Amino acid sequence: MKKASPAGKTSHHPPPPPPPPRRSTIEFDDDEYCNFKILNGKFCQTEVEEKDFDDNEDDWDDDEESVPPASSSSSVMSRGSTSSDSALNSQMLHFKRSGADAFLFAAAEPVPISEQAVAITSSPDGLIWKPADSDYTCKISDPKKETKLGGMKSFMTFQLTPSFRNIQVSRRYKQFTWLYDRLNEKFTTISIPPLPERPHTAGKFEQDFISTRIRLLQLWVLRMCKHPVVSHADVFLHFLTCTDDKKWSKGKRVAEKDEYVQGRWFSTIQAPTLNSQQAEAQIDQFSRFVKNMDDAVRQMTVTGEHNIKKHEAFKKEYQKLGSSFVNLAKSFDLDERKSSVMLTRALEKTGKAYEEIGQLFGSQPTLDMVHLLEGLQEYRGILSTFPSSISIHKESVNKVKEKVDRLSDGERQAVQRRADIITATVLANMLYFQQERVTDFKAYMSDYLQKQIEFHTTITSNLRTALQQYEKI
């Protein structure tokens, strides 16, 4: 890292080069290779250089599901994080594997016009990804059981319909895992949350499992659609739009041969200059925030799961209480006086009310707590990505410090500028996370409290109706 400048002054670096121009586009044509870009706020199809491809899908025939690392561990995990005993060695190894080392010290290469620039801009709250020109969503629906090899193998497919193109594409779960791997490989310091894992106790084709998987995949896809960088990546748009098997195969290989992944992806970034000391303080504070939030989310998850079990216990207790009221009413049947009959009927309705309340307790978690826990699970996955991106920043700073005395002035400025670009991506990722967290938790808690109000209002209404029967006696 460059030596600290005098207090109150900001380090200055040469202005970044202009962003490379966007790839030329043509109008939408389903007969061409499936590849989409955004131009002037509209989705268009792009011309792609023809290469030699093997049109046979070589890795979709294995039905074993490759599940990304789960986020269910007892502490924040990362893309390559380990125990504290080997944390330093792990960070250095991850730094090298990420390609950031090569980006820092390799000779600069011009970025081809085919590679779209990724812009980071300044905001009142700090550095942030430049907002996307167009927003869109994607709906997942209609899970289907399909077969191959004459029915010898079965698998589930899900239908995806992006809002900018009302045409469904069919995707298997293992194609989601392929996309997850590509996004992680390309966007080194962007948080790509893990895909929802498969419960060990559920079968592939059980309805409860399918419903849960489609709901969690929907959350994952919508989060990717919202991200200003990921949502406009070629590989993601190809995943959402390509309907032809041959074109899918070609696009798959284009993505797998993408040269601008890992460390080389940083060369596509356009970012403002930084105050290095201020950036370091922000990242250190955010690291503490991540640890505190992860601990709190884990504790809330345990509490929420316990609450769900309690609801099942309450269901049995209220139903048992309701049954006792009904039995008490039956014991009054032999007294046929009008007032006694009215009391008997009131007791029966009281018993029915408590039985219904028991049912409400049993079903309520699926309306509120389950959805809250799914949101918390998603955030645990997002939190698990930060240690690796922060370690890349930390190691880049250390590497610059190690070699600064061996560099000429021009080399030192160039290397520092590249280190600042890595740091800028980490800062942009941090601020984007914080903005999304406020939006998401506002929605989580508003929905949870609204469902709780409806739940308790229904209970109160049932009890009030039961009480009115006694007022008539």
Side-chain angles (χ1 to χ4, degrees), residues 48-95:
V48 177
E49 179 184 356
E50 287 293 335
K51 300 181 180 180
D52 291 331
F53 294 105
D54 175 9
D55 291 335
N56 297 319
E57 285 293 294
D58 57 359
D59 58 355
W60 300 121
D61 288 336
D62 182 6
D63 266 4
E64 291 297 321
E65 295 189 358
S66 171
V67 182
S71 59
S72 58
S73 61
S74 60
S75 62
V76 174
M77 300 296 291
S78 69
R79 305 166 185 163
S81 66
T82 61
S83 66
S84 58
D85 292 339
S86 59
L88 182 59
N89 289 335
S90 175
Q91 283 186 10
M92 294 175 65
L93 180 60
H94 181 68
F95 178 71

Side-chain angles (χ1 to χ4, degrees), residues 338-355:
K338 182 178 179 181
S339 59
S340 179
V341 170
M342 294 180 68
L343 176 63
T344 299
R345 298 294 174 263
L347 276 170
E348 287 177 346
K349 291 190 176 182
T350 300
K352 296 296 182 183
Y354 273 91
E355 289 177 350

Side-chain angles (χ1 to χ4, degrees), residues 281-300:
Q282 290 173 342
I283 292 174
D284 287 343
Q285 182 181 24
F286 183 76
S287 295
R288 294 191 295 272
F289 179 94
V290 168
K291 176 62 170 62
N292 291 341
M293 182 176 175
D294 183 67
D295 291 342
V297 167
R298 285 190 292 112
Q299 181 59 45
M300 183 67 231

Side-chain angles (χ1 to χ4, degrees), residues 354-368:
Y354 273 91
E355 289 177 350
E356 290 176 6
I357 290 172
Q359 289 291 343
L360 289 172
F361 269 98
S363 61
Q364 185 62 26
T366 62
L367 302 176
D368 50 31

Side-chain angles (χ1 to χ4, degrees), residues 151-424:
M152 294 178 62
K153 288 191 176 183
S154 301
F155 55 91
M156 293 298 301
T157 61
F158 304 93
Q159 314 312 307
L160 283 72
T161 310
S163 59
F164 61 82
R165 181 174 184 250
N166 193 28
I167 298 177
Q168 286 188 343
V169 298
S170 181
R171 295 288 179 258
R172 295 175 59 181
Y173 181 80
K174 60 173 53 183
Q175 290 171 302
F176 278 91
T177 66
W178 173 85
L179 173 65
Y180 170 83
D181 290 340
R182 298 287 75 72
L183 295 177
N184 258 322
E185 181 185 36
K186 184 169 183 66
F187 301 118
T188 310
T189 50
I190 290 180
S191 295
I192 309 296
L195 288 167
E197 63 180 332
R198 174 178 179 173
H200 298 295
T201 57
K204 236 188 220 186
F205 307 115
E206 292 181 5
Q207 187 57 47
D208 287 346
F209 165 67
I210 293 172
S211 298
T212 299
R213 169 164 283 186
I214 199 170
R215 190 168 63 249
L216 296 179
L217 285 176
Q218 178 70 80
L219 292 175
W220 189 87
V221 167
L222 286 178
R223 189 164 297 282
M224 297 298 96
C225 289
K226 288 173 65 178
H227 197 283
V229 177
V230 175
S231 62
H232 289 59
D234 289 353
V235 62
F236 188 63
L237 292 171
H238 179 66
F239 177 84
L240 294 183
T241 58
C242 194
T243 57
D244 180 83
D245 289 343
K246 185 175 180 180
K247 296 170 185 175
W248 165 264
S249 180
K250 288 183 178 182
K252 176 175 175 288
R253 282 155 179 75
V254 167
E256 290 168 352
K257 294 178 180 179
D258 186 359
E259 296 180 358
Y260 286 86
V261 299
Q262 297 182 327
R264 294 197 72 186
W265 174 67
F266 292 123
S267 64
T268 70
I269 303 296
Q270 302 297 320
T273 55
L274 297 177
N275 181 318
S276 300
Q277 291 180 332
Q278 186 180 52
E280 192 69 25
Q282 290 173 342
I283 292 174
D284 287 343
Q285 182 181 24
F286 183 76
S287 295
R288 294 191 295 272
F289 179 94
V290 168
K291 176 62 170 62
N292 291 341
M293 182 176 175
D294 183 67
D295 291 342
V297 167
R298 285 190 292 112
Q299 181 59 45
M300 183 67 231
T301 299
V302 172
T303 302
E305 291 171 348
H306 183 69
N307 179 266
I308 290 175
K309 293 178 182 179
K310 283 290 187 182
H311 269 258
E312 191 60 33
F314 286 142
K315 172 185 176 180
K316 294 177 182 178
E317 287 298 317
Y318 276 98
Q319 288 180 330
K320 185 176 179 179
L321 183 59
S323 178
S324 296
F325 280 129
V326 171
N327 288 335
L328 180 61
K330 289 180 179 179
S331 71
F332 296 165
D333 280 346
L334 294 179
D335 186 353
E336 298 181 350
R337 291 178 302 112
K338 182 178 179 181
S339 59
S340 179
V341 170
M342 294 180 68
L343 176 63
T344 299
R345 298 294 174 263
L347 276 170
E348 287 177 346
K349 291 190 176 182
T350 300
K352 296 296 182 183
Y354 273 91
E355 289 177 350
E356 290 176 6
I357 290 172
Q359 289 291 343
L360 289 172
F361 269 98
S363 61
Q364 185 62 26
T366 62
L367 302 176
D368 50 31
M369 183 56 75
V370 168
H371 295 295
L372 177 58
L373 290 180
E374 287 175 351
L376 294 177
Q377 178 186 357
E378 187 182 17
Y379 262 83
R380 288 198 65 195
I382 298 172
L383 290 168
S384 75
T385 68
F386 285 109
S388 64
S389 61
I390 291 175
S391 73
I392 290 174
H393 156 74
K394 295 287 186 184
E395 282 302 310
S396 69
V397 171
N398 291 338
K399 286 292 183 181
V400 173
K401 287 180 178 179
E402 288 175 8
K403 299 186 178 182
V404 66
D405 293 334
R406 288 174 271 171
L407 302 173
S408 67
D409 290 342
E411 291 172 335
R412 190 181 302 116
Q413 283 191 346
V415 169
Q416 182 62 55
R417 175 57 187 158
R418 292 175 198 155
D420 284 350
I421 286 177
I422 293 176
T423 301

Side-chain angles (χ1 to χ4, degrees), residues 91-145:
Q91 283 186 10
M92 294 175 65
L93 180 60
H94 181 68
F95 178 71
K96 291 180 179 179
R97 288 178 175 174
S98 72
D101 193 22
F103 168 71
L104 279 176
F105 299 106
E109 297 180 3
V111 179
I113 61 172
S114 60
E115 190 63 29
Q116 185 172 336
V118 177
I120 296 174
T121 62
S122 297
S123 76
D125 294 325
L127 297 186
I128 191 66
W129 304 112
K130 182 181 179 181
D133 294 334
S134 301
D135 298 327
Y136 66 91
T137 60
C138 180
K139 181 181 179 181
I140 303 181
S141 61
D142 302 329
K144 297 177 182 178
K145 182 179 180 181

